[in-house]
Amino acid sequence: MNGETDEKLRRLRAVWFENNEVVMIDQRLLPGKVEFFRARNTEDIAHAIKDMVVRGAPAIGITAAWGLALAKKNGEDMEEATRIIGGTRPTAYDLFRAIRFMIANGFSLEAARRYQQEITNRCRKIGEYGNELIPSPAQILTHCNAGALAVTEWGTALAPLRIASQQGKQIFVFVDETRPRLQGARLTAWELQNEGIPYAVIADNAAGHFMHTGQVNLAIVGADRIAANGDFANKIGTYEKAVVAHENGVAFYVAAPASTFDFTISSGEEIPIEERSEDEVLSLGGERLAPEKSRAKNPAFDVTPAKYVSAFITEYGIFKPSELKKLRAMIQKDLFMRED
Ligand code: MRU
């Protein structure tokens, strides 16, 4: 590992640009191995996003931004590159936001760098606002991985936890394992362990028990796309966690930067849900679980209605679903995020 790579890993960037390559921590191999995937063209970028070398909505957007800058530098057909990268994963809104940003900024490397830096800075703000919602001590539930691996450096749902922990608050995290890809057990646990934040991995079907028995004070999750009415898509299983939180009076927060809000759609019904391979459900770590002829269904995301959301934690502050019009007006005035 060279010095620069080592430095990036220490700051936990999911993706960066180095020596004319887009470099990613290969998240398929964590926590067992820390290896890097190097993309040299659009085909490599598309493979990395589809196969989940890199994943998490903001990180997908950042990778797309770097990928388009790389394609431009390579002299590739940009219409084709945009089409291929835009066709990788349908649910994460950040992907489409990043593509539009790169088109508007001539696909330059400088634009990709700026995009990454902006999103990173915004996640730090999410951490600061979200920290205000965390008492000490606090027992916090999270689902999937919405940490540095899903953004770079701070994460969304994990950003408030990082800051709370740095400030000496006594926090404990219940980490949903998050079948079928185990982003919780593999990635969130790895991040929390590296930060020295106490946690326990729990089976996905155990979260209800911990909420019902009063062991969870609040839940914080990320989002892949948030509709104008506050319905939001996130990793499959989020919906049932939100319902159980509501039933048990546990506050349920969604942490996301403006790049994840899709005000062009009025409700969650319009969010496209990615269907992934049956193998992800039928096998685990390459080992077949179910009988040979079994079929599986594997939606990667579900939609949680806004009524289950206590508040959205954003870089502009904290908003109840009923206050999203105010957020929308703020985003429209934000030169980096506005899309008209
Ligand atoms: O399929 P993934 O791993 O890309 O799904 C990731 C999630 O659902 C995250 O919670 C979401 O993208 C927010 S990441 C800051």
Side-chain angles (χ1 to χ4, degrees):
M1 199 187 294
N2 69 29
E4 195 176 344
T5 307
D6 187 40
E7 156 72 6
K8 295 293 181 342
L9 181 62
R10 199 165 54 73
R11 291 169 62 198
L12 202 52
R13 290 194 163 202
V15 51
W16 62 93
F17 192 80
E18 182 183 296
N19 302 330
N20 287 334
E21 293 171 335
V22 180
V23 187
M24 293 153 241
I25 297 176
D26 191 337
Q27 299 189 31
R28 298 169 303 183
L29 306 177
L30 290 173
K33 283 190 212 154
V34 179
E35 285 183 10
F36 301 93
F37 181 92
R38 296 174 181 275
R40 298 189 175 90
N41 51 40
T42 296
E43 204 186 314
D44 294 348
I45 293 284
H47 171 72
I49 297 176
K50 267 194 193 153
D51 210 46
M52 297 174 68
V53 170
V54 66
R55 28 67 48 203
I60 291 170
I62 292 166
T63 305
W66 282 120
L68 289 170
L70 177 69
K72 174 84 178 173
K73 201 161 190 297
N74 286 346
E76 294 179 41
D77 174 342
M78 291 313 293
E79 218 169 283
E80 183 70 353
T82 305
R83 191 187 60 73
I84 292 172
I85 292 175
T88 48
R89 295 195 73 189
T91 306
Y93 192 56
D94 297 65
L95 172 63
F96 308 102
R97 177 80 74 158
I99 289 173
R100 283 196 300 280
F101 180 83
M102 291 304 289
I103 292 172
N105 289 280
F107 302 113
S108 72
L109 281 170
E110 189 40 44
R113 185 167 294 114
R114 206 177 127 223
Y115 187 84
Q116 176 156 15
Q117 196 53 54
E118 269 285 337
I119 300 294
T120 305
N121 295 346
R122 284 162 187 263
C123 287
R124 155 123 213 159
K125 297 292 290 179
I126 287 174
E128 287 165 9
Y129 285 118
N131 173 43
E132 292 168 18
L133 300 167
I134 300 179
S136 180
Q139 312 238 98
I140 303 164
L141 179 84
T142 192
H143 191 67
C144 194
N145 173 264
L149 289 166
V151 186
T152 66
E153 298 191 34
W154 292 96
T156 56
L158 293 195
L161 277 57
R162 286 199 150 84
I163 293 184
S165 164
Q166 281 165 13
Q167 290 191 354
K169 289 186 185 172
Q170 298 302 306
I171 61 169
F172 180 86
V173 188
F174 288 96
V175 177
D176 291 343
E177 62 174 350
T178 319
R179 272 285 284 153
R181 298 284 300 219
L182 298 172
Q183 289 94 328
R186 296 189 304 107
L187 308 178
T188 300
W190 187 71
E191 286 195 36
L192 293 175
Q193 186 159 300
N194 292 345
E195 296 260 337
I197 299 176
Y199 68 91
V201 177
I202 59 171
D204 286 322
N205 42 15
H209 163 74
F210 287 110
M211 288 196 261
H212 186 58
T213 51
Q215 298 183 64
V216 178
N217 305 112
L218 65 145
I220 311 184
V221 299
D224 282 81
R225 193 187 290 230
I226 303 165
N229 71 344
D231 295 351
F232 75 100
N234 191 49
K235 180 53 54 195
I236 191 77
T238 302
Y239 165 62
E240 59 188 42
K241 305 298 177 280
V243 173
V244 177
H246 185 79
E247 167 73 14
N248 290 283
V250 173
F252 193 89
Y253 297 110
V254 179
S259 53
T260 308
F261 284 82
D262 179 1
F263 289 112
T264 69
I265 57 171
S266 54
S267 82
E269 278 171 35
E270 293 169 72
I271 301 178
I273 299 295
E274 176 185 4
E275 185 74 31
R276 293 188 62 86
S277 140
E278 294 183 35
D279 286 345
E280 291 184 349
V281 174
L282 297 171
S283 305
L284 189 59
E287 290 285 317
R288 179 91 185 180
L289 296 172
E292 264 323 305
K293 288 187 183 140
S294 303
R295 301 297 309 267
K297 291 192 183 298
N298 187 15
F301 303 97
D302 58 26
V303 172
T304 299
K307 67 175 177 185
Y308 296 118
V309 178
S310 305
F312 293 95
I313 309 169
T314 77
E315 68 271 43
Y316 307 91
I318 293 163
F319 297 83
K320 294 198 179 100
S322 60
E323 297 170 327
L324 285 186
K325 280 210 176 85
K326 199 162 81 186
L327 175 66
R328 184 180 189 165
M330 290 168 96
I331 293 177
Q332 271 163 356
K333 284 197 211 116
D334 180 335
L335 287 181
F336 182 78
M337 286 292 168
R338 62 187 283 175
E339 298 202 279
D340 49 15

